[in-house]
Amino acid sequence: MPSYTVTVATGSQWFAGTDDYIYLSLVGSAGCSEKHLLDKPFYNDFERGAVDSYDVTVDEELGDIQLIKIEKRKYWFRDDWYLKYITVKTPCGDYIEFPCYRWISGEGEIVLRDGQAKLACDDQIHILKQHRRKELETRQKQYRWMEWNPGFPLSIDAKCHKDLPRDIQFDSEKGVDFVLNYSKAMENLFINRFMHMFQSSWNDFADFEKIFVRISNTISERVMNHWQEDLMFGYQFLNGCNPVMIQRCLKLPDNLPVTTEMVECSLERQLTLEQEVEQGNIFIVDFKLLDGIDANKTDPCTLQFLAAPICLLYKNLANKIVPIAIQLNQVPGEENPIFLPSDAKYDWLLAKIWVRSSDFHVHQTITHLLRTHLVSEVFGIAMYRQLPAVHPIFKLLVAHVRFTIAINTKAREQLICEYGLFDKANATGGGGHVQMVQRAMQDLTYTSLCFPEAIKARGMDNMEDIPYYFYRDDGLLVWEAIKTFTAEVVGIYYESDQVVEEDQELQDFVKDVYMYGMRGKKASGFPKFIKTKEKLCEYLTMVIFTASAQHAAVNFGQYDWCSWIPNAPPTMRAPPPTAKGVVTIEQIVETLPDRGRSCWHLGAVWALSQFQDNELFLGTYPEEHFIEKPVKEAMARFRKNLDSIVSVIAERNKNKKLPYYYLSPDRIPNSVAI
C-alpha cells in the first residue's frame, strides 16, 4: 500500500504547541485518504518549535496530492496550535511543501494547498478553484470594515484585541499593552515619582534634567545641549522625527507679511527676500492644519493651547537651514507679530518652542498615526479580504502587515480612544487629534505616499542644492531597492500587462483600498484598478515602503528628538504671545508642560521608540510563503542590495555628531507593529 511521510513543523513562539489530537487527510486527483491520527507512542507530539515526522499509509493510489486537511480535536482543555508548515514525501520520492503559518484554534479544521504561488487563471482544477473561493468567503466574514470615526480610513471591525482573528493577534498581548508599557518606561527612566504631579511646573530649563536620562554621545543628549540654537532647529526639519513638512518656498504667502527689512540680518547673499525666494534659498513649514483645532479640555484644572504657525527658513552660505521668521497663527495682525532672530532672546526662543510643539502634534497624529499606521491597516485588511494565501501578492505582502491591525486595534482600545492615554499629556487629546485626521484626509493622496514623488512635490529633490537631507537620500536608496525586488517578483508571475489587468483578485484588492481606505475619493489619486506591470510594481513598492521604511523614519527617532521636553512640548499651558518684548524665562517655563504631563510624554516616546522583542527587519522572510527558487533568489538579491545600503549609510555616519540611521535597512522593521 502507498506510504507517505508527513513532516509537521510547530511554531516556536510562546504557547504555539498543543496536546490536542491532530488528524490529517490527503486529497489527491484520484481520491481522498482516510483521516489519520498523527501520534507517536510515548512521545509528546507538536511541542513548541518541534518538527515531527509521521508515516501515513493509504489503501489506494491518490494520484497527485492537491490538498491536505488538518483537524484538531480537544484532548484535555482548549488550546491553540501554531502550524508553520507540512511537508509530504510521496511514494515516488517527491516532496510537496504546504506552507501554513497560521493558528488553529479550539476544535478547528484547516485545508492547505501546496505552496506554489498561483494566480486565479492558473487554477484549472475545480477543487482548487473551490478552495480559493471558500478561503476568501471565510476571510471576508472575519475581516470586516468598520468606521471608527467619521472621515477616517475604515479599520477592522473589532472593539478590542481579543476580538481579532487569532492569526493577526500578537503572540502575547502583554507586550503591547500601552498602559503597562508607558508605566514600565517611566519606571525604567526613574521618573515615576513625578508622574502624578499635574499642575506642578518645573523651575527652569535645567529642572527638566531631573527626568532626562543622560546617555553620553547620543542624539538626545546633543538635542538637550543645543536645542536653543537655530541650526539645530532647522536641522530637525530635514532629519528629525518629522522630516516631511519642509518645502521650498516658491512664493511668499499672502498671510505672512514679512519683508526684506525684517530679515535682512539673516540673509547672507546681499539679495532681497524676493530674490532669495527666486534663487530657491527660502523654505517654508506651514502648520495651517492646526488652525481652529480644539485644544484638550479633559482636565478642567489645566488650560491647554494650540497654535498654527508659519515658519520661514533660509539656506545659508554653508548650505544649512536656519529659521528667519515665525508667525504663530495664520491670520496676520497686530496681535500676531512676526518673530525674528533679531528679537529679544526669549521672544525668539518661545516662538521656536511653539513651532516645535506644533510639529510634534502634526508628527504624532498625521505623519505617524494616519500616514503609516492607519494606511497600512487598510492595505492589510484589503489583502486578507481579497487575496487568497496562494496568490503571489498575498505571499509578498503578508510579512509587511504583520501585527499592524493588532497594534492599531490596541491603540483604539487604549491610546487614541476617548479618555485614552493620548488625552493625558497632549494638547490635541480630547478630540483634537480626531479633527486633525479628518482634515488631513484631504491631503492623503497616492502620490504623497510614493516617496520620490513626495520629495519632488515639496521641491526637496535636488541633492546638490540641499546636501544634508539624509532622510531623502536614504529613503530613495531603500525605495529603489524595494522597487527592484517587487519588479522581479511581479515579472515571475505576470507575463504581460494583460495578465495584470485580468487578475480579478488583484483588482478587487486595489478597489478595496480605494473604496474603504480612501473612502472612494477620486481626488486621492488612488487607482481603482491597475492595468500594467509597471504600475503594479510602483503600487506594491508604495505599500511595502509605507509599512517599513516610512514608519521607521518617523517612529524610532521619537526618544532621540522628543525626550528633551522643551524641544518637543506635547502641550502648552499658556496662549501664544501677542506682543514682543514681554517674554521672560519664567513665562516660558510656566507655558511648558507640567511635571506630570512631561513624565507621561517621556514614557510614551521611550516606549514607542523600542523595537519589538521578535522584530523582523526589512528583507528577512523567515516564514517561507514562497517556495519557488526564482523568488528565493530574488529575495537573496534584495537582502544583498539592502546590505550594501547599510554599508553606505554606516560610512556616511562615521564621525558624525548627529548620525542619521533611521532608514538603515538593518533598523527598518518589515511592518508597522509598534
Side-chain angles (χ1 to χ4, degrees):
M1 291 188 291
S3 181
Y4 295 81
T5 302
V6 175
T7 302
V8 182
T10 297
S12 55
Q13 58 268 66
W14 287 105
F15 312 113
T18 185
D19 290 324
D20 285 355
Y21 297 111
I22 303 297
Y23 296 90
L24 175 133
S25 308
L26 300 169
V27 180
S29 56
C32 181
S33 76
E34 292 292 317
K35 200 159 66 171
H36 290 265
L37 175 65
L38 301 181
D39 184 47
K40 295 179 196 172
F42 311 111
Y43 178 75
N44 203 346
D45 306 275
F46 315 117
E47 287 292 282
R48 173 180 164 228
V51 178
D52 302 315
S53 291
Y54 305 87
D55 289 326
V56 174
T57 303
V58 298
D59 296 333
E60 54 191 28
E61 287 289 342
L62 300 177
D64 295 333
I65 301 299
Q66 295 169 337
L67 299 170
I68 57 173
K69 289 182 186 175
I70 303 290
E71 287 182 54
K72 186 162 83 69
R73 295 289 173 255
K74 189 164 77 170
Y75 168 66
W76 188 247
F77 58 88
R78 176 194 165 99
D79 68 355
D80 298 342
W81 178 41
Y82 188 84
L83 173 60
K84 286 173 71 178
Y85 62 83
I86 291 178
T87 302
V88 176
K89 183 184 178 185
T90 69
C92 305
D94 295 330
Y95 286 86
I96 310 170
E97 294 178 51
F98 293 85
C100 180
Y101 301 103
R102 288 169 59 189
W103 289 93
I104 305 176
S105 299
E107 294 200 327
E109 177 183 293
I110 199 166
V111 181
L112 302 175
R113 57 183 289 177
D114 79 88
Q116 195 171 353
K118 293 275 182 76
L119 301 176
C121 62
D122 299 327
D123 277 340
Q124 302 303 321
I125 300 165
H126 175 71
I127 195 172
L128 297 180
K129 287 181 177 180
Q130 189 181 43
H131 176 266
R132 199 174 189 117
R133 190 183 70 250
K134 277 187 175 176
E135 182 184 8
L136 288 182
E137 285 172 358
T138 303
R139 290 237 215 98
Q140 284 165 12
K141 289 173 186 172
Q142 291 179 312
Y143 296 83
R144 301 173 306 278
W145 294 104
M146 175 193 77
E147 183 179 67
W148 185 67
N149 257 307
F152 273 51
L154 295 196
S155 50
I156 194 79
D157 185 5
K159 286 190 172 66
C160 56
H161 182 266
K162 67 176 176 10
D163 292 343
L164 294 171
R166 183 68 182 91
D167 288 329
I168 60 168
Q169 290 182 23
F170 281 102
D171 298 334
S172 166
E173 195 180 350
K174 267 188 184 175
V176 286
D177 187 300
F178 286 107
V179 177
L180 189 66
N181 287 350
Y182 285 22
S183 301
K184 259 194 214 167
M186 285 187 271
E187 200 175 307
N188 292 340
L189 296 167
F190 305 106
I191 58 173
N192 43 346
R193 67 187 185 277
F194 297 111
M195 64 188 285
H196 301 298
M197 296 173 69
F198 291 93
Q199 288 86 51
S200 171
S201 295
W202 301 97
N203 297 320
D204 51 32
F205 293 143
D207 207 21
F208 282 98
E209 291 190 47
K210 288 178 181 172
I211 61 163
F212 184 77
V213 179
R214 186 189 287 269
I215 306 168
S216 59
N217 300 317
T218 56
I219 290 174
S220 57
E221 186 189 46
R222 191 157 184 84
V223 170
M224 184 194 75
N225 291 330
H226 299 277
W227 70 281
Q228 297 188 40
E229 297 168 13
D230 288 354
L231 280 172
M232 177 63 87
F233 179 90
Y235 178 87
Q236 291 179 73
F237 287 117
L238 297 176
N239 302 308
C241 262
N242 197 24
V244 302
M245 295 291 290
I246 187 170
Q247 53 187 323
R248 197 184 293 275
C249 182
L250 303 176
K251 177 184 176 294
L252 292 170
D254 294 336
N255 61 335
L256 181 68
V258 62
T259 64
T260 300
E261 290 70 34
M262 288 180 179
V263 296
E264 204 165 17
C265 63
S266 299
L267 307 180
E268 298 180 353
R269 294 177 177 86
Q270 278 73 55
L271 299 173
T272 65
L273 182 57
E274 288 71 22
Q275 288 170 329
E276 294 280 18
V277 169
E278 284 171 22
Q279 292 207 0
N281 297 323
I282 302 296
F283 298 82
I284 192 166
V285 180
D286 192 344
F287 295 95
K288 60 187 173 188
L289 180 88
L290 288 166
D291 191 28
I293 296 293
D294 293 333
N296 192 338
K297 295 182 179 67
T298 57
D299 179 0
C301 298
T302 304
L303 290 175
Q304 299 181 62
F305 297 89
L306 294 167
I310 306 171
C311 180
L312 213 60
L313 299 124
Y314 177 63
K315 185 184 74 172
N316 64 21
L317 289 172
N319 285 326
K320 301 293 175 66
I321 303 291
V322 291
I324 59 170
I326 293 170
Q327 182 178 282
L328 292 179
N329 280 302
Q330 292 288 307
V331 180
E334 278 187 29
E335 294 195 344
N336 187 21
I338 296 174
F339 292 95
L340 308 165
S342 54
D343 289 341
K345 176 184 175 180
Y346 292 129
D347 283 356
W348 181 234
L349 181 60
L350 182 56
K352 288 191 293 179
I353 290 172
W354 269 105
V355 172
R356 293 296 312 133
S357 183
S358 302
D359 192 61
F360 174 82
H361 297 310
V362 172
H363 163 260
Q364 284 291 9
T365 305
I366 308 306
T367 309
H368 183 211
L369 173 63
L370 172 62
R371 298 179 69 90
T372 63
H373 276 259
L374 300 185
V375 166
S376 291
E377 181 177 4
V378 166
F379 300 143
I381 299 170
M383 181 201 77
Y384 280 112
R385 285 175 54 83
Q386 304 299 351
L387 299 175
V390 72
H391 198 290
I393 304 306
F394 177 93
K395 291 173 181 279
L396 177 65
L397 294 184
V398 67
H400 300 290
V401 297
R402 177 177 178 258
F403 298 147
T404 300
I405 300 171
I407 194 70
N408 287 1
T409 302
K410 203 71 186 167
R412 285 187 287 270
E413 193 183 335
Q414 293 185 320
L415 192 62
I416 56 174
C417 55
E418 193 174 5
Y419 308 117
L421 289 174
F422 200 80
D423 292 355
K424 275 191 178 293
N426 293 287
T428 50
H433 59 305
V434 172
Q435 296 170 3
M436 288 173 69
V437 170
Q438 290 164 337
R439 278 192 195 178
M441 280 295 288
Q442 298 166 17
D443 301 317
L444 182 59
T445 62
Y446 177 76
T447 52
S448 73
L449 294 177
C450 292
F451 191 79
E453 293 297 317
I455 294 289
K456 201 171 182 179
R458 292 188 287 111
M460 301 295 290
D461 50 318
N462 191 321
M463 293 188 181
E464 289 182 17
D465 197 32
I466 311 164
Y468 301 112
Y469 198 12
F470 307 128
Y471 163 74
R472 171 203 59 204
D473 301 344
D474 300 353
L476 288 171
L477 291 176
V478 175
W479 174 275
E480 284 306 315
I482 295 171
K483 193 174 181 184
T484 300
F485 172 53
T486 58
E488 287 192 56
V489 175
V490 166
I492 292 167
Y493 296 102
Y494 293 90
E495 289 181 2
S496 64
D497 292 343
Q498 185 181 350
V499 179
V500 172
E501 194 171 359
E502 292 175 356
D503 181 355
Q504 193 55 50
E505 291 167 342
L506 170 68
Q507 302 304 337
D508 289 343
F509 162 68
V510 171
K511 188 178 178 182
D512 245 31
V513 171
Y514 173 74
M515 287 303 299
Y516 299 107
M518 300 308 119
R519 311 301 299 266
K521 289 179 183 171
K522 197 174 179 182
S524 72
F526 266 76
K528 295 182 195 174
F529 44 76
I530 289 178
K531 293 186 174 182
T532 66
K533 289 166 67 174
E534 184 182 3
K535 191 68 177 175
L536 177 56
C537 292
E538 181 188 72
Y539 193 95
L540 296 173
T541 302
M542 179 272 296
V543 171
I544 295 171
F545 185 90
T546 300
S548 57
Q550 185 60 23
H551 179 255
V554 302
N555 182 72
F556 292 104
Q558 290 189 72
Y559 186 78
D560 288 346
W561 296 100
C562 303
S563 57
W564 181 246
I565 306 291
N567 189 59
T571 189
M572 300 288 264
R573 295 180 295 141
T578 55
K580 294 187 181 186
V582 294
V583 177
T584 63
I585 180 69
E586 291 76 20
Q587 186 183 335
I588 293 177
V589 172
E590 286 294 324
T591 301
L592 288 169
D594 56 40
R595 293 169 191 254
R597 287 178 176 82
S598 297
C599 291
W600 279 99
H601 166 80
L602 201 54
V605 297
W606 172 271
L608 292 170
S609 300
Q610 307 307 305
F611 293 120
Q612 292 276 1
D613 290 341
N614 53 353
E615 200 72 82
L616 298 175
F617 294 95
L618 191 59
T620 56
Y621 298 99
E623 293 186 354
E624 294 191 36
H625 292 274
F626 283 111
I627 65 167
E628 296 93 321
K629 191 178 176 184
V631 186
K632 290 187 174 184
E633 289 171 347
M635 285 177 172
R637 285 190 291 274
F638 182 37
R639 280 191 292 273
K640 192 174 179 184
N641 199 351
L642 294 173
D643 287 343
S644 68
I645 296 172
V646 171
S647 300
V648 167
I649 292 172
E651 185 62 33
R652 194 254 337 270
N653 282 338
K654 266 186 189 175
N655 304 320
K656 274 199 180 301
K657 290 173 181 173
L658 276 175
Y660 186 82
Y661 43 70
Y662 309 116
L663 282 171
S664 183
D666 58 345
R667 289 171 174 256
I668 299 175
N670 263 332
S671 62
V672 176
I674 187 70

